[in-house]
Amino acid sequence: MTQSRTVLITGGSKGIGYACADIFAKAGHKVAVTYRNHEIPAALTNNGVLAIRCDISDPEQIAKVFARVEETFGPVEILIANAGMTKDTLMLRMSENAWTEVIQTNLTSAYYLTKHALGKMVKGHWGRIIYISSIVAQMGIPGQANYGASKAGLIGLARSLAREVASRSITINVIAPGAVDTDMLNVLGEEKVKMMIDQIPMQRAASPDDVAAAVEFLASERAGYITGVVLPVDGGLAMGF
């Protein structure tokens, strides 16, 4: 087995976050996850995963999460910023709150999380930070200007930071999922989901496990020379963007 690392995953109660927590825990890593509204399933906690309730838009709550993880497992070595939200509407109908809340939750939280994780990674001369973005950042979808801007921001954040800390054996990368079989996709309704899948060359949505497998690779020792990358996991949907 590879060396056991301390892993923090935001939004770990379901979907991509749950799949990431499951794959890292089964590989023998020390895993902590945050959740806000949905309790962490017993299948994870029974496997040694530390579950911490947190609103990631609140920097004080994030600070408490890091203190708890460090007390239990030690400094965070692998950070997966996965938690996010949508408040979709056309720009002319978008409220200032819908803009601000999505940017705060999806993008500004990554700043808070990274600030807490990076210092210990620099001291330890090793680290992995992975941001979960979206193909919306590159393709654009009507009604998701706030979401697309927040996810595009993660790409700029990752690439700038990757240049800052590469010499310390810290990699910072981005996963850009397409349609993933989660609650966020299914809320669109059967007709819209079918239209989206019809555009995917592989003719199916990704499973959360498909995305988690890509995350696991980028967090591994084998990916130590890969940084500043945006890796699409989208079945070919955003080819060429």
Side-chain angles (χ1 to χ4, degrees):
M1 190 185 82
T2 57
Q3 181 178 345
S4 176
R5 300 286 186 179
T6 298
V7 185
L8 174 60
I9 303 163
T10 62
S13 63
K14 57 184 179 175
I16 294 169
Y18 176 93
C20 289
D22 186 55
I23 202 169
F24 280 103
K26 287 178 177 174
H29 296 288
K30 297 166 288 187
V31 180
V33 298
T34 70
Y35 67 100
R36 186 170 65 173
N37 298 320
H38 300 276
E39 297 285 343
I40 300 297
L44 285 184
T45 54
N46 290 344
N47 205 15
V49 173
L50 174 66
I52 308 170
R53 187 185 292 276
C54 176
D55 177 352
I56 61 165
S57 67
D58 182 344
E60 293 185 2
Q61 291 189 40
I62 287 177
K64 290 177 181 177
V65 166
F66 274 84
R68 176 97 180 271
V69 173
E70 290 186 15
E71 181 184 358
T72 307
F73 294 141
V76 172
E77 297 165 289
I78 298 171
L79 170 64
I80 301 160
N82 164 72
M85 67 173 298
T86 58
K87 280 201 168 184
D88 296 351
T89 188
L90 297 174
M91 176 59 81
L92 291 177
R93 299 174 184 167
M94 187 177 292
S95 68
E96 185 176 336
N97 180 66
W99 172 269
T100 302
E101 192 172 350
V102 169
I103 296 294
Q104 184 79 5
T105 299
N106 296 359
L107 177 58
T108 307
S109 67
Y111 159 77
Y112 297 145
L113 291 159
T114 303
K115 282 276 283 187
H116 279 284
L118 206 52
K120 297 289 176 66
M121 290 180 179
V122 168
K123 287 180 181 178
H125 288 266
W126 197 93
R128 301 284 187 266
I129 297 176
I130 300 166
Y131 300 132
I132 306 300
S133 180
S134 169
I135 59 161
V136 177
Q138 295 161 296
M139 290 182 64
I141 290 181
Q144 290 199 319
N146 50 2
Y147 183 75
S150 69
K151 294 300 188 178
L154 291 173
I155 296 172
L157 176 63
R159 286 181 165 164
S160 295
L161 291 175
R163 292 185 181 275
E164 290 185 19
V165 298
S167 64
R168 299 301 182 100
S169 297
I170 300 167
T171 67
I172 304 183
N173 292 295
V174 179
I175 299 285
V180 183
D181 188 10
T182 64
D183 292 346
M184 195 176 287
L185 176 68
N186 296 328
V187 77
L188 297 176
E190 188 175 337
E191 185 177 343
K192 286 186 178 180
V193 171
K194 184 180 183 306
M195 287 175 59
M196 185 177 292
I197 290 176
D198 284 345
Q199 299 177 58
I200 299 172
M202 295 194 74
Q203 290 291 289
R204 69 171 179 88
S207 72
D209 289 338
D210 290 327
V211 182
V215 171
E216 183 188 31
F217 169 68
L218 288 178
S220 70
E221 300 284 351
R222 295 165 301 175
Y225 201 63
I226 299 171
T227 195
V229 162
V230 180
L231 176 60
V233 183
D234 63 3
L237 177 59
M239 241 186 278
F241 282 87

